[in-house]
Amino acid sequence: MIGLIVASGFRLSFGTQSFAIGGVNYTLVEDYSAIYWNPSRLADQRNSFGADLLTIAPMAKYRMNTNLLGYDGGYPRLKDNTAYSESPPFLIPSLGFVIYGESFTWGFSAFAPFGMGTRWDLYDPPINYYNAYDSTWEAPSYPKYDWESDFKSLALWFGFGKEMGPFRVGLSGGPVLMSILVRKVNLLDPASIDPAAADAPIEYRLWPIDTKLKAYGVSFGGSFGITSYVGDMFSFALTGHYYTPTNLYGQVKLQLFTPRNDYIVENAPDLATLFSGYIFQGSGEGTTKLPLPPDVGFGFSFKPVKIFTLSVGINYVFWSVFKDVAIDFDDLTLLYQQIKSDTLNFNWHNVIEVGVGTKLAVTDWLSFRFGFAYDQSPIPDSTFNPLIPDVGNRIGVSGGLSWSVGDFWTYHLSYTYTRTPEREISNEGYRYDATYMPGTYQFQGHLISLGLTYRW
């Protein structure tokens, strides 16, 4: 189910060393990823280039409880009404460099601050949805992956850090390029088109609309950081991020799969068009503004001896900006009816993310890192569905190492295991047109990150 998610909602973390200590890295960041985590930490670096590659292997399942035909109602199509995510492993690269200067140190990074990805095979038209006298007639095939999302982003940020006595200050920012793909099943009550359809057999009471949206947009974001050193043992950091709303432009495609029943066509000619098995199609352009959440973070580290450092990071994410997203359509028509707008209801709430990590410098050329992370989910039950990769409150454990070869090269490796407990969404009061999907969700994931740093 999860694709590009390793933080709450659809925020991303990145950086091999940061993953190894729990993913909220404000005081121990030592490479180009400081441009995102805490740009003031650039001031403590020298010339370097770095690159990382994150691999996420997601494993998720969804036990449906909708009681809707086509899903788990009537004659269920899946064993135990349980579907398993069919998302493949995801590869997420990032890179950047840092250049030291007498007045300040600056750098550049290309990374993904947001992302998500899901892919499910949940729906098929009910048994007897297609009932034709003509045995040579082939029923239309409904898309295999009927619930799918893919949200990609690419940030191109410059940043700088400056030393000011025991303090370090820094700023970073730049454009964030985004692409969004959303595909889902919308169910239509045919009685809303022709009241006579209300008397049709139960398998014809809800008709599937394959709904697909693909859009692109640009946002601008930035980060600030302040770090304070208290002697050689303590450091404290305050950081934050802000993003402008993303103006998204894209295409919307709709396919309404009508049933076929030749008996109804013979005996009720007025319903012949609606029960012919025809696929009505519509397409048009869509525009919307997608808000992105600001956040503020606090971190501190404690270094009682030369070889050991303890780091703690706490982040507060303002997901409450993600409430109702209005989409305006142009030239979108289905069944001869124009669709001018739609509103997506989210009603997300603010959350806290916590990371605790340690760094153990065994020698000058070998160090180990270990971490623990806890991330709250911002998504209420009332708007949760399989398109959302953030299943629930998540815990993760991680570890990694850094190995220096000679005076210039350092190689990094980290592994993270993350999981959520089962999350049950009640079906009490559920309707086919609700914004949530009832059932039980569960997720676990394995994340492996590889990185390298070249310093000169």
Side-chain angles (χ1 to χ4, degrees):
M1 183 176 182
I2 197 168
L4 309 184
I5 297 299
V6 288
S8 65
F10 49 86
R11 295 176 64 250
L12 275 175
S13 299
F14 81 101
T16 303
Q17 298 176 70
S18 297
F19 272 112
I21 62 169
V24 185
N25 187 7
Y26 298 137
T27 55
L28 287 184
V29 58
E30 300 172 346
D31 60 8
Y32 70 94
S33 64
I35 291 173
Y36 172 78
W37 288 109
N38 179 2
S40 68
R41 287 282 293 169
L42 291 170
D44 295 317
Q45 301 185 38
R46 294 299 181 262
N47 299 333
S48 68
F49 168 83
D52 295 272
L53 179 63
L54 171 65
T55 302
I56 303 177
M59 293 178 288
K61 67 178 182 179
Y62 167 39
R63 187 167 65 250
M64 295 180 282
N65 189 23
T66 67
N67 293 325
L68 295 177
L69 296 182
Y71 287 109
D72 57 301
Y75 297 93
R77 54 182 295 268
L78 299 175
K79 183 179 179 181
D80 298 326
N81 296 324
T82 301
Y84 294 87
S85 168
E86 299 190 39
S87 297
F90 291 86
L91 301 177
I92 309 170
S94 59
L95 58 85
F97 61 81
V98 177
I99 302 296
Y100 172 77
E102 292 293 335
S103 299
F104 60 86
T105 301
W106 67 281
F108 168 80
S109 179
F111 62 96
F114 298 94
M116 64 183 290
T118 68
R119 192 165 70 179
W120 298 88
D121 177 13
L122 300 180
Y123 179 87
D124 267 341
I127 295 175
N128 293 327
Y129 194 75
Y130 298 111
N131 195 345
Y133 293 157
D134 184 359
S135 60
T136 64
W137 183 77
E138 293 187 7
S141 296
Y142 200 79
K144 175 175 174 58
Y145 299 117
D146 37 60
W147 284 80
E148 183 178 12
S149 62
D150 187 9
F151 182 8
K152 294 186 174 73
S153 68
L154 174 62
L156 304 171
W157 285 13
F158 287 90
F160 78 92
K162 182 176 178 60
E163 179 178 351
M164 302 176 66
F167 296 95
R168 310 290 188 269
V169 296
L171 291 172
S172 63
V176 181
L177 313 179
M178 295 190 180
S179 70
I180 294 178
L181 167 67
V182 175
R183 187 173 206 161
K184 60 172 293 189
V185 181
N186 285 316
L187 296 174
L188 172 70
D189 181 356
S192 63
I193 303 171
D194 189 331
D199 297 326
I202 190 171
E203 60 265 31
Y204 306 134
R205 300 286 178 82
L206 294 174
W207 298 355
I209 303 175
D210 174 43
T211 306
K212 184 177 180 181
L213 167 66
K214 193 169 186 177
Y216 303 89
V218 179
S219 174
F220 288 87
S223 176
F224 77 89
I226 302 172
T227 302
S228 172
Y229 292 92
V230 181
D232 296 329
M233 294 178 60
F234 296 96
S235 63
F236 301 87
L238 178 68
T239 71
H241 299 89
Y242 177 79
Y243 302 89
T244 63
T246 305
N247 293 310
L248 291 170
Y249 305 88
Q251 292 288 324
V252 182
K253 294 185 178 181
L254 307 176
Q255 293 187 99
L256 170 60
F257 288 74
T258 63
R260 177 165 178 173
N261 188 300
D262 291 347
Y263 177 81
I264 293 178
V265 171
E266 282 184 352
N267 292 273
D270 292 344
L271 297 177
T273 301
L274 298 181
F275 287 85
S276 63
Y278 184 74
I279 302 176
F280 290 89
Q281 302 195 34
S283 63
E285 297 181 350
T287 61
T288 188
K289 282 190 175 182
L290 183 70
L292 298 173
D295 66 80
V296 61
F298 171 77
F300 74 89
S301 62
F302 172 56
K303 189 176 182 179
V305 293
K306 181 179 179 180
I307 66 171
F308 177 81
T309 306
L310 172 68
S311 172
V312 177
I314 302 173
N315 199 38
Y316 190 79
V317 188
F318 295 88
W319 274 115
S320 59
V321 302
F322 218 58
K323 289 191 177 297
D324 299 326
V325 178
I327 305 176
D328 296 320
F329 300 116
D330 186 22
D331 295 329
L332 181 61
T333 302
L334 185 66
L335 274 179
Y336 316 111
Q337 298 182 14
Q338 187 175 12
I339 304 173
K340 294 184 177 181
S341 64
D342 193 10
T343 300
L344 304 178
N345 304 115
F346 294 97
N347 298 319
W348 290 12
H349 53 78
N350 301 335
V351 299
I352 293 176
E353 302 167 347
V354 179
V356 179
T358 61
K359 177 183 177 182
L360 182 63
V362 179
T363 68
D364 291 338
W365 52 270
L366 179 64
S367 62
F368 294 94
R369 294 176 175 84
F370 304 94
F372 171 83
Y374 172 74
D375 300 321
Q376 292 180 325
S377 172
I379 309 165
D381 290 356
S382 60
T383 61
F384 190 86
N385 63 57
L387 292 177
I388 306 299
D390 191 353
V391 174
N393 297 339
R394 183 171 48 255
I395 59 173
V397 292
S398 58
L401 61 86
S402 294
W403 177 36
S404 297
V405 178
D407 297 328
F408 303 104
W409 292 97
T410 303
Y411 301 94
H412 314 284
L413 168 67
S414 73
Y415 167 78
T416 301
Y417 172 75
T418 182
R419 70 179 300 272
T420 66
E422 283 194 346
R423 179 175 184 176
E424 184 175 356
I425 309 296
S426 172
N427 70 350
E428 183 178 355
Y430 175 71
R431 282 174 45 92
Y432 70 91
D433 54 355
T435 57
Y436 66 98
M437 289 279 284
T440 303
Y441 298 82
Q442 190 172 26
F443 165 79
Q444 61 178 332
H446 301 273
L447 298 84
I448 299 176
S449 187
L450 302 173
L452 61 86
T453 305
Y454 177 77
R455 292 186 171 89
W456 69 94

